[in-house]
């Protein structure tokens, strides 16, 4: 059973690419992982590239729901599975249950897909020029690094494997600090590849990457993810340098950014984080404190939640507002977007250029219908609390609150509501049982 999850991912991938639509694919139902790695054609490689983006959408809801519930952004009060109100809020987390293993496996599936794509490009019979190869490498390594970051944030001090290229010789588990360093190194490799790549990609990228579908604009996405990593590393000067190379725009569209997209036709999938307003069985409920703590007139409250007449109760928990971040089951889910970058910029300037922090805070506040920040502009801790407050409302259900509180040493019962006896603060997911050596 040793290392079973990651090994099983390797074999499962051979069946994953058949559902991806791409022109000029020869017999798309037949290719195997082995055939991709040995003399693959241009069409094979294009299939892998498009498939990588598609695979990253799988089981997204399991990731966002679990980390959001741990961060007490919302509760699952549907009653469909009591583990969402029991195990996730009380612990301990089952290292062999789906709450631990499903998102873990999904992110490593994306990592493995990226590795297969890189190997296929290296061994392709298509005669790719070096600049075309670099475009594939930069694309794959960026999404691989993004996926590793997502699983690293789940596992935290329990560690992750950075090296899973060989399923029979997996690399060691490394701690969170080393994981972030490895992820940053991979992003920098990808950035170098993109700088030495052809201007256009050799394959189709979805409409979710419309503004990032050249190697130059995709590189801006890479630098944005690197800025997030630098923030987690506590390197604010590097954050600001990376933001300058990203698509960060303090006056730009808050929702500018690459996104996972969904659809109703063919082999496409739906956005499982959409919940039908007022429908029984859809009671994913924001905590009452999120409503109560909001400033009067904050439009994010009405944009991201909807009052459920009479509220709902389950397992000793109650709430009055249903989460409504997504308006339909085909709404995009952003990998990273400009509003997050503005708030990263605000945080990174604290202590060195507080006036810029306030400018960024006001950009977000004003967009939400609020007046300018009226607190201290010299108290660094007060400014950090304001940035954290804006992140709480702007980035609701986007997978940040739990990570923010943890990295800022605020993952405690002052910030995490313990609404019932026996509820606990949990800071990491356990290593899946099948991955223990």
């Amino acid at each position: 059973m040793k290392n079973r999850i990651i090994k099983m991912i390797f074999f499962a991938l051979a069946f994953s690419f058949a559902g991806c639509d791409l022109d000029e694919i020869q017999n798309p139902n037949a290719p195997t992982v082995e055939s991709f790695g040995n003399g693959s054609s241009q069409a094979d490689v294009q299939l892998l590239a498009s498939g990588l983006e598609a695979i990253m959408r799988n089981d997204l809801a399991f990731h966002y729901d679990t980390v959001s519930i741990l961060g007490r952004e919302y509760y699952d009060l549907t009653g469909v599975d009591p583990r969402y109100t029991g195990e996730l809020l009380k612990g301990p987390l089952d290292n062999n249950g789906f709450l631990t293993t499903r998102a873990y496996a999904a992110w490593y599936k994306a990592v493995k897909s990226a590795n297969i794509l890189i190997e296929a490009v290296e061994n392709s019979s298509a005669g790719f020029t070096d600049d075309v190869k670099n475009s594939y490498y930069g694309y794959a390594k960026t999404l691989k690094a993004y996926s590793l970051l997502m699983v690293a944030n789940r596992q935290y001090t329990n560690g992750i494997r950075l090296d899973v290229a060989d399923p029979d010789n997996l690399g060691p588990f490394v701690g969170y600090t080393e994981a972030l360093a490895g992820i940053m190194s991979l992003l920098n490799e990808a950035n170098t590849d993109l700088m030495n790549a052809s201007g256009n990609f050799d394959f189709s990228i979805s409409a979710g990457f419309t503004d990032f579908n050249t190697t130059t604009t995709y590189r801006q996405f890479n630098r944005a993810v690197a800025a997030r990593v630098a923030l987690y590393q506590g390197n604010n000067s590097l954050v600001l340098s990376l933001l300058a190379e990203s698509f960060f725009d303090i006056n730009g569209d808050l929702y500018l950014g690459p996104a996972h997209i969904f659809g109703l036709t063919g082999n496409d999938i739906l956005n499982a984080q959409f919940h039908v307003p007022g429908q029984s069985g859809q009671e994913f409920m924001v905590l009452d404190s999120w409503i109560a703590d909001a400033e009067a007139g904050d439009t994010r409250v009405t944009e991201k939640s909807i009052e459920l007449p009479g509220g709902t109760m389950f397992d000793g928990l109650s709430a009055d507002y249903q989460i409504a971040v997504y308006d339909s089951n085909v709404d995009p889910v952003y990998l990273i977007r400009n509003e997050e970058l503005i708030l990263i910029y605000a945080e990174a300037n604290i202590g060195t250029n507080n006036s810029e922090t306030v400018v960024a805070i006001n950009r977000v506040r004003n967009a939400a219908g609020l007046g300018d920040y009226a607190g201290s502009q010299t108290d660094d801790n007060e400014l950090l609390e304001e940035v954290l407050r804006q992140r709480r409302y702007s980035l609701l259900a986007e997978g940040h609150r739990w990570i923010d509180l943890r990295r800022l040493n605020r993952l405690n019962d002052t910030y995490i509501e313990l609404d019932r006896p026996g509820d606990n603060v949990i800071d990491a997911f356990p290593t899946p049982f099948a991955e223990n050596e």
Side-chain angles (χ1 to χ4, degrees):
M1 292 177 64
K2 180 179 176 181
N3 310 141
R4 185 173 61 189
I5 288 179
I6 293 177
K7 288 183 178 181
M8 289 179 67
I9 289 169
F10 180 84
F11 297 107
L13 283 173
F15 303 99
S16 299
F17 300 109
C20 305
D21 290 331
L22 199 68
D23 295 335
E24 302 180 75
I25 296 300
Q26 301 294 322
N27 193 12
N29 293 316
T32 64
V33 170
E34 291 76 12
S35 70
F36 282 133
N38 295 285
S40 52
S41 68
Q42 180 186 30
D44 288 335
V45 175
Q46 289 174 331
L47 174 65
L48 285 167
S50 295
L52 170 56
E53 185 189 343
I55 281 170
M56 289 183 71
R57 305 174 304 166
N58 292 336
D59 282 343
L60 276 179
F62 280 93
H63 172 82
Y64 287 111
D65 284 346
T66 51
V67 299
S68 296
I69 292 170
L70 286 177
R72 304 310 198 271
E73 294 190 271
Y74 57 86
Y75 290 140
D76 176 354
L77 300 186
T78 63
V80 171
D81 192 320
R83 283 174 287 188
Y84 282 100
T85 54
E87 184 180 328
L88 277 179
L89 300 179
K90 295 177 181 294
L93 298 179
D94 180 1
N95 69 351
N96 202 30
F98 77 97
L99 294 175
T100 291
T101 61
R102 191 154 177 175
Y104 180 94
W107 289 121
Y108 270 115
K109 188 174 183 181
V111 170
K112 187 61 190 180
S113 299
N115 285 338
I116 294 170
L117 172 57
I118 292 167
E119 182 181 358
V121 173
E122 290 172 345
N123 300 321
S124 174
S125 61
F128 293 128
T129 58
D130 286 344
D131 60 343
V132 172
K133 287 182 179 180
N134 284 334
S135 69
Y136 277 104
Y137 296 151
Y139 167 80
K141 290 175 185 177
T142 298
L143 294 183
K144 175 182 175 180
Y146 183 93
S147 300
L148 286 170
L149 179 61
M150 298 294 268
V151 73
N153 281 332
R154 295 178 64 84
Q155 303 306 118
Y156 191 42
T157 52
N158 289 323
I160 66 166
R161 299 182 194 272
L162 289 171
D163 180 7
V164 294
D166 181 354
D168 295 317
N169 186 30
L170 298 173
F173 280 94
V174 300
Y176 190 62
T177 299
E178 187 176 346
L180 291 180
I183 291 164
M184 181 66 83
S185 178
L186 185 58
L187 286 166
N188 289 337
E189 284 182 30
N191 182 55
T192 299
D193 290 332
L194 292 165
M195 291 175 69
N196 292 286
S198 52
N200 294 312
F201 288 111
D202 186 53
F203 53 91
S204 298
I205 299 182
S206 78
F209 281 76
T210 295
D211 295 308
F212 306 92
N213 58 9
T214 69
T215 54
T216 298
T217 53
Y218 189 87
R219 181 173 165 265
Q220 294 176 341
F221 160 54
N222 172 288
R223 297 293 78 187
V225 177
R228 182 193 283 177
V229 175
L231 185 76
Y232 295 166
Q233 292 176 312
N235 190 338
N236 288 342
S237 61
L238 180 57
V239 168
L240 296 174
S241 175
L242 291 166
L243 285 176
E245 298 182 64
S246 76
F247 60 92
F248 161 69
D249 181 356
I250 200 165
N251 296 310
D253 181 355
L254 299 182
Y255 281 85
L256 174 65
H260 302 291
I261 59 171
F262 304 88
L264 298 167
T265 60
N267 293 322
D268 217 333
I269 62 174
L270 302 177
N271 178 352
Q273 293 169 261
F274 166 71
H275 305 293
V276 180
Q279 181 170 306
S280 177
Q282 299 283 298
E283 295 92 352
F284 285 75
M285 310 293 289
V286 296
L287 270 67
D288 288 342
S289 63
W290 190 82
I291 302 295
D293 293 346
E295 292 184 49
D298 191 332
T299 59
R300 291 168 295 191
V301 172
T302 53
E303 289 170 354
K304 298 173 185 284
S305 66
I306 183 171
E307 187 171 10
L308 192 65
T312 191
M313 296 183 63
F314 177 73
D315 199 13
L317 297 169
S318 63
D320 293 324
Y321 286 77
Q322 186 180 17
I323 196 163
V325 170
Y326 300 102
D327 295 327
S328 78
N329 58 7
V330 293
D331 270 9
V333 173
Y334 288 85
L335 285 83
I336 190 168
R337 59 188 181 87
N338 190 42
E339 189 166 13
E340 180 191 346
L341 299 185
I342 293 171
L343 290 166
I344 288 175
Y345 178 76
E347 184 175 339
N349 273 295
I350 294 175
T352 57
N353 194 344
N354 287 358
S355 61
E356 277 301 295
T357 294
V358 173
V359 169
I361 287 171
N362 287 339
R363 169 71 179 97
V364 173
R365 287 179 59 88
N366 296 164
L370 300 176
D372 287 350
Y373 169 67
S376 171
Q377 300 190 19
T378 58
D379 185 323
D380 292 353
N381 188 67
E382 188 173 331
L383 282 169
L384 183 58
E385 285 290 330
E386 177 65 16
V387 171
L388 187 59
R389 185 177 302 112
Q390 297 311 314
R391 288 178 68 91
R392 182 186 183 192
Y393 286 89
S394 287
L395 306 180
L396 176 71
E398 295 184 34
H400 297 285
R401 179 69 173 173
W402 182 55
I403 299 161
D404 287 342
L405 294 177
R406 187 177 64 197
R407 67 182 176 83
L408 295 172
N409 298 314
R410 288 162 167 80
L411 195 62
N412 53 53
D413 57 11
T414 299
Y415 294 84
I416 292 288
E417 293 184 45
L418 303 180
D419 287 334
R420 303 166 302 179
D423 283 0
N424 290 298
V425 178
I426 298 171
D427 70 350
F429 284 88
T431 302
F433 173 78
E435 296 305 313
N436 288 314
E437 297 185 353

